[in-house]
Amino acid sequence: MTPDLTIVGAGLTGLTAAIEAAEQGRRVAVVEAHSRPGGRARTLDGPYRANTGPHAFYVDGAWWAWLERRGLTPPVVAAPRRPRLVRTGGRLTAWPDELGAAIAALPAEAPDAERFRAWLLRHVDAATAEAIIGVCFVFTFDHDPGRLAAGFVHQRLRRALAGGVRYVTGGWSTLVDLLAARAAALGVRTSTGTRLPAPPGGPAIIATGLATARRLTGDPSLAWTGARAATFDLGLRAGAPDPGWFRLTDLDDRIYVARYSLADPTLAPDGHELVQIAAACAPGERKRDAEQRVHRLLDEAWPGWRAAVEWRRGAVRTDCSGALDLPGTTWRDRPAVGRGDTLAVATDQSAAPGLLAEVGVAAAHLALQHIDGTSREPGSAREPAQPR
Ligand SMILES: Cc1cc2nc3c(=O)[nH]c(=O)nc-3n(C[C@H](O)[C@H](O)[C@H](O)COP(=O)(O)OP(=O)(O)OC[C@H]3O[C@@H](n4cnc5c(N)ncnc54)[C@H](O)[C@@H]3O)c2cc1C
């Protein structure tokens, strides 16, 4: 088969583009550097099946609807009905109802031109503003969501609290496997273990991260703001003490801890626990210092956790969790998907709507429109994606 479209990268974005292009009758080749598809959305083989990137699937979004239309939705579970613990003002407490009420009472819209913190301070007192900013770390991964565009953060806050968050049973590899199998069934040819040094000739979609796309194309304009966060995964042996909560959010110190195997027991051996943690890293903060902050929090909120640890890993991740829009910018200002007549760059930091991984998927739809010559603005793809 001679492909008429090459897609570089078999993460969620590349696989989505491959399926949609093949459905449209294109002969698609996917080239993937890793030995397996999935990109950041892989799940470790075990015994602790940690997700290496995403956890939360927002089932109220356009991507879920796209999967539903194709019979590709993975099995999902909601968070278990367990208390949610927060640390705020230096004190551990149950999720404060007054914080939820303050968020609910915020105006329905927030401006893109203003910083989130400045906008909040016009509506709530300073302590409440900082607590809300702490909540927003969970889905921005930023050390200071208060510095970001109010419109950007506020829209995500509404989504995060709307009740649409689910966890993919068996980890996100379950979804990746479904997408890869559908792509193969549609005739998409995937070559794994092949790292391209430059964009391929002919019509192509680069669906790597934005930084890799910048290196591949040599185009310095492929750059956008992202977060820096440390992630720590813990495997706890059977019989670990139960602190009672499922989620723990440190609003002061921007740390999020979830005992994911309580929601999905397949993620850990029988009776064991998988705990995954994200901690904001200010510029220059070292992994060791972030880890010490996490350990101090766990010591306070989970007596006895240390003695139960039998597996751990951790890393600092830069620009890995999607786009962040600074004041005065929106998703429309990010690097355009269309990069010339036959090249598109579709990433989770591209000019496409949505939240977290949804951005890459929306960019995949735009990339195909661009390649098909149907994007509304010649040479770029700046209108919202209309997934089919
Ligand atoms: C800690 C963390 C938590 C997150 N949490 C969430 C969440 O809860 N919900 C959510 O929706 N999103 C979340 N995200 C974001 C989500 O993981 C990403 O948006 C999404 O996985 C990006 O998919 P992608 O296909 O665009 O990119 P990637 O997953 O990075 O895929 C790119 C692929 O391209 C390949 N590649 C790179 N260079 C080359 C080359 N030269 N040749 C060939 N192949 C190449 C890579 O190997 C990779 O497989 C999180 C991310 C992180 C890091």
Side-chain angles (χ1 to χ4, degrees):
M1 171 194 89
T2 311
D4 58 16
L5 175 65
T6 305
I7 296 172
V8 186
L12 300 170
T13 301
L15 289 171
T16 302
I19 290 170
E20 206 164 286
E23 286 172 349
Q24 292 164 14
R26 283 190 174 268
R27 297 186 304 275
V28 185
V30 176
V31 186
E32 166 55 49
H34 199 270
S35 57
R36 281 160 59 181
R40 279 166 269 170
R42 275 188 285 268
T43 307
L44 300 185
D45 286 336
Y48 293 101
R49 308 208 64 225
N51 284 312
T52 60
H55 290 89
F57 203 116
Y58 290 78
V59 299
D60 55 354
W63 186 22
W64 184 259
W66 185 92
L67 293 168
E68 264 181 341
R69 283 196 293 280
R70 289 162 176 80
L72 285 173
T73 51
V76 291
V77 287
R81 291 189 176 279
R82 286 234 182 182
R84 176 174 180 182
L85 203 64
V86 299
R87 184 167 164 273
T88 178
R91 225 166 39 88
L92 281 177
T93 165
W95 170 261
D97 287 340
E98 56 276 20
L99 185 57
I103 293 171
L106 289 171
E109 301 284 334
D112 297 316
E114 194 172 6
R115 280 175 194 267
F116 186 51
R117 177 175 285 104
W119 177 76
L120 277 178
L121 286 171
R122 290 198 280 110
H123 303 288
V124 295
D125 63 63
T128 305
E130 287 311 312
I132 295 174
I133 289 167
V135 171
C136 296
F137 158 71
V138 175
F139 47 86
T140 61
F141 295 90
D142 195 46
H143 69 285
D144 181 14
R147 75 188 177 115
L148 304 174
F152 171 84
V153 184
H154 176 261
Q155 193 191 41
R156 278 149 189 78
L157 178 61
R158 294 251 167 226
R159 287 281 306 278
L161 298 183
V165 170
R166 298 288 183 276
Y167 305 113
V168 181
T169 308
W172 277 59
S173 280
T174 305
L175 172 60
V176 169
D177 291 347
L178 286 169
L179 295 174
R182 176 62 58 88
L186 288 166
V188 172
R189 198 187 66 201
T190 301
S191 314
T192 52
T194 310
R195 183 176 295 278
L196 286 191
I205 297 174
I206 298 183
T208 63
L210 191 65
T212 305
R214 184 169 63 243
R215 283 195 295 277
L216 285 177
T217 58
D219 180 348
S221 73
L222 290 172
W224 197 251
T225 308
R228 183 168 184 269
T231 53
F232 301 103
D233 304 328
L234 299 175
L236 305 190
R237 64 176 60 91
D242 183 353
W245 45 266
F246 168 64
R247 282 184 282 220
L248 163 63
T249 314
D250 188 332
L251 305 181
D252 300 339
D253 233 5
R254 318 272 149 88
I255 298 170
Y256 179 69
V257 184
R259 300 168 66 201
Y260 285 112
S261 53
L262 289 184
D264 175 7
T266 70
L267 299 179
D270 260 2
H272 294 231
E273 270 207 47
L274 171 68
V275 183
Q276 295 204 257
I277 302 161
C281 276
E285 187 184 14
R286 292 171 307 177
K287 179 183 150 196
R288 201 178 56 203
D289 297 328
E291 193 165 26
Q292 279 173 2
R293 287 194 289 121
V294 167
H295 288 185
R296 277 198 299 274
L297 175 66
L298 290 179
D299 285 342
E300 206 180 330
W302 195 345
W305 72 276
R306 283 179 189 261
V309 175
E310 66 170 20
W311 172 83
R312 68 174 78 213
R313 53 175 226 142
V316 172
R317 325 274 297 267
T318 304
D319 287 346
C320 276
S321 46
L324 299 178
D325 296 341
L326 292 170
T329 64
T330 73
W331 65 264
R332 294 167 200 276
D333 300 301
R334 297 180 203 146
V337 171
R339 314 299 299 186
D341 287 348
T342 58
L343 184 67
V345 171
T347 77
D348 61 355
Q349 291 181 293
S350 294
L355 148 159
L356 295 165
E358 289 175 352
V359 174
V361 170
H365 304 315
L366 283 170
L368 286 171
Q369 289 175 20
H370 176 76
I371 297 283
D372 287 346
T374 56
S375 68
R376 298 189 195 180
E377 198 179 314
S380 73
R382 300 178 73 84
E383 289 302 316
Q386 300 296 325
R388 282 163 267 193

